[in-house]
Amino acid sequence: MIALRIVAYVLGIIGVIGTVLPFLKYDDWWIRGFDYPRQQLVVILFLSATCWFLSNSSNGALNITIGVVLTLAALYQAYRIYPYTKLHSKDAREAEILDNDEGHLTIMMSNVLQTNRRTDLVIDLVKNVNPDILLTVETNKWWEEKLAEGLDEDFPYRVNIPLENLYGMHLWSKIELIDPQIKYRIKDDIPGIDTRIKLPNGREVDLYFVHPMPPSPSEAYASTGRDAELSLVGLEVRDRPNRSTIVAGDMNDVAWSHSSRLFQRISGLLDPRRGRGLFSTFHAEYSLLRWPLDHVFHSSDFAIIDLERLPYVGSDHFPVLIKLSYEPQQDENQGEQAEGDDLEEARETIEMGERSEDDAVIKDND
């Protein structure tokens, strides 16, 4: 009984702290970091509540209250991840046009891990799944040269941004890229790629590829820059209504966080994982510490042919593959829509992100 009580105390403290801290409106990494492990916190809190009830023979008000608090915290965490389970209804439709590929688009994205040397695994996987577009991140000059040796003939259109800071990015495409641009939205050493393509059926699609910096003690102290970049992209999508749009990349954020949900409301884009599963991509080597960081959001005129997490390629991230079909409908789900408060919050977030970057530049110059 004593052992159970100790387990209940330790797990309960961790679980309750992890539940309460994200309600605080601060961007510090040690607060925002608790946005990530919500599925782990579900297990921790339910286990804590179970141990608490089993180790208490008393039906006193305090004991019951503590047990109820632990149970409610677990249910709240489960509620936050529920939309990303198969129990929830799907936001994005299942494709109906499967035999005519003129409106189909296949995208693969992979955070390869800059220090990873298993280029053979990445190249073999790309050749096997045969995407129309490949996004690789954390790719430096060494990765660029190795991937080019195996993929150049298959992907004639490219955008190369080799960097040594873990934020290199390369776009490989079988479809001609229209006006590709490299964007440094918040930090001058963290790029994104904007471009357009034209599907064989003639439909133009706007593509945004991003990889913002995560809040962590080893990178950004706060999530301000990441949240600002997502808000900026969301507003840019919003300012181009009635466009076929896809936003994808390693966003270093989970789908159920406030910042990701704000991005969805601003952009009006759909998350194909809702109702299909978590598709947790990080950390590839630790199954108990895993959450979805690599995302694809798309406009409602696309339907889903396939969405899958791909096999291990030596990185700390699993690659992701999505197959989309352009199938506009009159009554299609337009996704969550932003309200006035959302737009004001997004603009304030962007201002904070730009200000924090300006302050960082001043400190560096000093």
Side-chain angles (χ1 to χ4, degrees), residues 30-62:
W30 55 274
I31 295 176
R32 296 276 66 86
F34 281 105
D35 283 330
Y36 294 84
R38 292 196 184 271
Q39 66 266 44
Q40 288 84 359
L41 289 172
V42 170
V43 176
I44 287 173
L45 284 161
F46 271 126
L47 183 58
S48 175
T50 301
C51 291
W52 181 263
F53 284 120
L54 289 176
S55 63
N56 278 282
S57 57
S58 169
N59 291 325
L62 179 60

Side-chain angles (χ1 to χ4, degrees), residues 101-257:
D101 62 0
E102 289 192 348
H104 291 179
L105 178 64
T106 301
I107 298 175
M108 174 181 166
M109 55 185 182
S110 179
N111 180 324
V112 301
L113 182 62
Q114 185 173 300
T115 57
N116 175 26
R117 291 297 178 259
R118 294 305 306 272
T119 55
D120 58 317
L121 294 179
V122 177
I123 292 170
D124 288 347
L125 184 59
V126 171
K127 289 183 175 295
N128 183 48
V129 302
N130 192 30
D132 301 307
I133 291 176
L134 167 68
L135 174 71
T136 58
V137 299
E138 288 201 29
T139 37
N140 56 6
K141 192 64 178 179
W142 183 89
W143 267 96
E144 177 184 307
E145 293 171 353
K146 294 298 181 180
L147 290 177
E149 291 174 6
L151 299 177
D152 248 0
E153 294 182 1
D154 298 326
F155 297 91
Y157 306 102
R158 287 168 50 183
V159 178
N160 300 329
I161 318 174
L163 298 174
E164 298 296 334
N165 63 353
L166 304 180
Y167 290 93
M169 180 181 289
H170 288 73
L171 184 63
W172 316 71
S173 180
K174 296 177 180 178
I175 304 172
E176 183 178 0
L177 302 175
I178 302 172
D179 190 26
Q181 299 180 33
I182 299 172
K183 294 286 188 70
Y184 295 88
R185 288 185 168 88
I186 297 297
K187 294 182 68 63
D188 58 11
D189 58 351
I190 298 183
I193 298 173
D194 295 0
T195 188
R196 304 194 314 277
I197 60 170
K198 183 178 289 187
L199 299 177
N201 64 5
R203 181 65 178 182
E204 280 197 1
V205 182
D206 294 338
L207 302 176
Y208 300 81
F209 298 103
V210 297
H211 182 207
M213 181 179 287
S216 78
S218 61
E219 296 195 61
Y221 180 82
S223 66
T224 311
R226 179 202 66 189
D227 300 345
E229 184 167 348
L230 293 180
S231 291
L232 263 174
V233 174
L235 288 174
E236 289 173 18
V237 172
R238 183 184 179 86
D239 289 341
R240 291 172 61 85
N242 304 316
R243 298 283 301 177
S244 297
T245 304
I246 297 169
V247 178
D250 172 8
M251 298 184 185
N252 280 313
D253 199 5
V254 284
W256 47 77
S257 74

Side-chain angles (χ1 to χ4, degrees), residues 235-299:
L235 288 174
E236 289 173 18
V237 172
R238 183 184 179 86
D239 289 341
R240 291 172 61 85
N242 304 316
R243 298 283 301 177
S244 297
T245 304
I246 297 169
V247 178
D250 172 8
M251 298 184 185
N252 280 313
D253 199 5
V254 284
W256 47 77
S257 74
H258 177 75
S259 48
S260 283
R261 290 184 296 153
L262 178 64
F263 163 78
Q264 269 199 269
R265 292 195 298 273
I266 294 169
S267 67
L269 300 181
L270 302 179
D271 186 342
R273 288 162 304 187
R274 289 174 66 98
R276 290 183 170 85
L278 295 175
F279 296 91
S280 296
T281 55
F282 176 92
H283 195 289
E285 296 179 345
Y286 304 109
S287 58
L288 296 179
L289 294 173
R290 193 172 285 173
W291 36 78
L293 295 186
D294 302 88
H295 308 279
V296 181
F297 298 98
H298 61 83
S299 51

